[in-house]
């Protein structure tokens, strides 16, 4: 909500020395979030005056139309002679009053004005548009044309109210009253301890039988509807400058007098209004729910198919407006013109159900200034005053006549009262305010308060957010000042640190960061089309997702079942921005729907839920295991004087998985696999043994070229993903000191020739098992392929075997026997033979 300080001063007599910054500090102390204070015209320097166009000469021979004008600026230029100005705009004519900036002036943006030669003429100044003065667009998309009655030579800075301060307030969802000058003025008056001149305190005639006929069929959706009629409006009447400028300062564009007045009153009082062209409304105005299949063309020109829960305004033809959101095009107010335009209007000031309006606005993706206010709460008692204010302005500015008929349809309702102990705010804040302070603060916000120890508080109509005693306590505390609350640091019990799970997650993060990976957390939302891009089978369990009822993004309506979509998207973004050597990781939850879907019950708020109630909630929530994933692309080792460097490949992804498993203390079995997005020949299946059975906990390797193309990823991108919760379950991360033997190691190297399709992991597993207990370590140090020496489809794998006994020095025969046993078992299982 943008609040001009000049407008605010109309309702609160602020000290003349108070600046926007001072008011900002006061309102922030009172609990309003004033984000910025915009200094309008602070860099503007005159002379800026009103001029009248005397002559216009069209200059020929240029790429765009150029006009050479003479303009009467009175005595503002010191000579009284016409000012010669070159201008390219074409929305003004001879005799029009315009805004002229003279040499020596400075416009917003430090744009200094001086006489200069252009297009073969000397221009002594400039004829200004609204954008050039920092006013914004006034709808003309060109030069400002002033009313004919404006005095030539008058100071335009004062006329156009170009110097002002505007407070930009981020209004929270519960403070709909502050989406108006009236509401902010009330808070300002309280903060300064000054009286408020309430713009809604008007003499309003009572309802009678002569008003425009209205039929409300849904009193729950619309509990108050006021209708007033004004006739004889001048079609050529325009909004005065002061009204246009106030609308521009609050961020609205002037349109036409009738529309501008309704917008002005809405910003002033907080009550959204709508004006119908009376000649276009046929019969009784009605309020009801839409029928199935009904359509309405709204003021934005879009035809909308209505929902049966939408609240609509109707006449004999059907819907003429989407209640509380936007009017219909079939009763639109016509803009002013010489011979046509709206002369008779029906003014609607109604109060609609907040939930209904919020759902309609979201259903049609149509947020308006009106819906923004209705869904946050509008003062129902202000509707008749807002209608009267609109009538007064229309009759004053457009020469209209207010008809005597007044229509008010009101559903009976009682004011909301709250019983609260007088010391309740004291208990909430931990500060003794006392009954007098509590009563005074509640009365300041408009409450009627009775009682001594037990207060009976009647909530004002403009504060629907005050529903219980804690809300009243909050009002007292914020007005007394949050900064005045004493601060006490919490004292946690001793002996409690991070949980085992938290420590594991931190160790995993440190290990991957130490290996050169950068953590890249992502949003947990995905679109289901990503599973096709990843090449998952139609029956893959990862395709079963939890869908959100109200997603932040319609293109990502589901919760992730894998961390890879988010990480790969992050890698693609960074690669597209010039960072080609990438290694990213993330640890986070994935969401797996349960086989049996249930509905969660509502937990109580007046007590702590029982263990059974919490368990019932947990039983219907999706399973949420924590995963860890990493992706790589580009160079893994940079080239330099030390060598050629090395590109990242599938082996780095496997090594990242091994590092994670090592931190969890789990033994990770790596073997050939094939799954989803990974290349079938470069994919490792990651397995652990849990409760005596093997369990696949993830995959690692190089992604398939089809996946790279579908996702726009760099060539040879590799990735890994692991179920961290399973690793934690099977692992034993108890710190163990390394054992240092006093006996020497015996090293034996073997080179085995196998078929090219045989995985190294199978050969290593056979060697490890065949070597027995004497084997301390095994390492693959060479892979060799040469058809001439080895034959077609064959490869050589060279391993270094380290043997050691804990109680003696091994003999050569013992080490050789262990090596031969290992080679024999490898030959039996994989067909490996010693390389000659």
């Amino acid at each position: 909500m943008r609040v001009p300080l000049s407008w605010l001063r109309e309702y609160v007599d602020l000290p003349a020395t108070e600046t926007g910054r001072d008011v900002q500090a006061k309102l922030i102390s009172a609990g309003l979030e004033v984000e910025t204070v915009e200094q309008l015209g602070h860099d503007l320097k005159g002379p800026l005056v009103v001029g009248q166009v005397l002559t216009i000469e069209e200059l020929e021979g240029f790429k765009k139309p150029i006009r050479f004008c003479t303009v009467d600026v009175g005595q503002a230029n010191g000579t009284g002679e016409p000012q010669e100005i070159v201008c390219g705009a074409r929305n003004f004519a001879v005799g029009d009053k315009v805004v002229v900036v003279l040499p020596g002036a400075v416009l917003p943006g430090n744009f200094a004005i001086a006489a200069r030669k252009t297009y073969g003429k000397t221009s002594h100044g400039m004829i200004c548009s609204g954008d050039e003065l920092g006013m914004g667009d006034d709808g003309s998309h060109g030069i400002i044309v002033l009313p004919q009655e404006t005095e030539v030579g008058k100071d335009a800075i004062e006329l156009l109210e170009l110097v002002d301060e505007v407070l930009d307030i981020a209004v929270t969802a519960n403070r709909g009253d502050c989406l108006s000058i009236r509401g902010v003025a009330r808070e300002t008056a309280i903060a300064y301890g000054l009286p408020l001149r309430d713009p809604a305190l008007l003499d309003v005639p009572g309802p009678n039988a002569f008003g425009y006929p209205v039929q409300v069929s849904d009193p729950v959706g619309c509990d108050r509807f006021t209708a007033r009629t004004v006739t004889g409006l001048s079609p050529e009447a325009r909004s005065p400058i002061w009204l246009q400028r106030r609308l521009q300062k609050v961020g609205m564009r002037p349109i036409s007098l009738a529309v501008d007045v309704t917008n002005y009153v809405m910003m002033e009082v907080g009550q959204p209004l709508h004006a119908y062209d009376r000649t276009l409304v046929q019969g009784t105005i009605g309020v009801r729910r839409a029928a199935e299949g009904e359509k309405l063309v709204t003021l934005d020109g879009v035809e909308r198919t209505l929902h049966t829960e939408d609240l609509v305004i109707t006449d004999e033809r059907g819907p003429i407006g989407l209640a509380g959101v936007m009017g219909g095009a079939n009763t639109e107010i016509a803009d002013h013109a010489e011979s046509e335009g709206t002369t008779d209007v029906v003014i609607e000031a109604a109060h609609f159900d907040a939930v209904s309006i919020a759902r309609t606005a979201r259903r049609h993706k149509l947020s308006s200034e009106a819906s923004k206010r209705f869904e946050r709460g509008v003062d129902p008692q202000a509707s008749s005053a807002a209608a009267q204010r609109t009538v007064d302005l229309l009759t004053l500015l457009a020469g209209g006549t207010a008809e005597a008929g007044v229509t008010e349809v009101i559903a009976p309702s009682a004011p909301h009262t709250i019983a609260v102990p007088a010391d309740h705010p004291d208990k909430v804040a931990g500060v003794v305010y006392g009954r007098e302070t509590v009563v005074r603060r509640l009365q300041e916000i408009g409450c009627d308060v009775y009682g001594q120890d037990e207060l009976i508080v009647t909530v004002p109509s403009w504060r629907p957010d005050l529903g219980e005693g804690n809300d009243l306590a909050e009002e007292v505390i914020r007005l007394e000042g949050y900064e005045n609350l004493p601060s006490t640091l919490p004292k946690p019990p001793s002996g409690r640190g991070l949980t085992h799970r938290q420590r594991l997650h931190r160790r995993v993060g440190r290990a991957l960061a130490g290996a050169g990976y950068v953590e890249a957390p992502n949003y947990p939302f995905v679109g289901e089309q990503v599973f096709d891009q990843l090449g998952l089978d139609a029956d893959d369990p990862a395709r079963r997702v939890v869908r959100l009822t109200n997603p932040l993004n319609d293109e990502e309506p589901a919760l992730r079942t894998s961390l890879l979509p988010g990480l790969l998207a992050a890698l693609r973004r960074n690669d597209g921005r010039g960072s080609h050597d990438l290694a990213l990781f993330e640890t986070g939850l994935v969401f797996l729907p349960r086989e049996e879907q249930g509905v969660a019950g509502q937990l109580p708020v007046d007590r702590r839920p029982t263990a059974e109630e919490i368990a019932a909630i947990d039983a219907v929530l999706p399973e949420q295991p924590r995963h860890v994933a990493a992706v790589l692309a580009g160079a893994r080792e940079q080239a330099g004087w030390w060598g050629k460097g090395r590109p990242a490949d599938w082996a780095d992804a496997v090594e990242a998985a091994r590092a994670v498993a090592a931190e969890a203390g789990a033994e990770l079995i790596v073997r050939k696999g094939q799954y989803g997005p990974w290349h079938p020949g470069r994919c490792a299946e990651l397995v652990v043994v849990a409760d005596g059975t093997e369990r696949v906990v993830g995959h690692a390797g190089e992604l398939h070229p089809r996946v790279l193309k579908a996702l726009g990823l760099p060539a040879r991108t590799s990735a890994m993903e692991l179920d961290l919760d399973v690793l934690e379950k099977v692992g034993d991360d108890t710190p163990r000191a390394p054992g240092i033997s006093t006996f020497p190691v015996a090293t034996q190297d073997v080179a085995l020739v196998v078929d090219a399709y045989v995985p190294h992991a199978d050969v290593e597993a056979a060697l490890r098992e065949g070597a027995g207990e004497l084997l301390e370590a095994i390492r693959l140090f060479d892979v060799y392929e040469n058809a001439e020496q080895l034959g077609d489809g064959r490869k050589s794998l060279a391993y270094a075997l380290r043997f050691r006994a804990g109680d003696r020095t091994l003999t050569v025969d013992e080490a050789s026997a262990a090596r031969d046993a290992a080679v024999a078992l490898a030959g039996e299982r994989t067909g490996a033979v010693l390389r000659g």
Side-chain angles (χ1 to χ4, degrees), residues 637-646:
E637 295 176 3
Q638 296 292 333
W641 58 266
W642 52 84
K644 295 184 297 182
R646 180 178 66 82

Side-chain angles (χ1 to χ4, degrees), residues 44 159 180 363 447 554 628 769 811:
L44 176 64
L159 174 69
S180 67
R363 187 180 298 119
C447 295
D554 290 339
V628 57
E769 182 178 344
T811 65

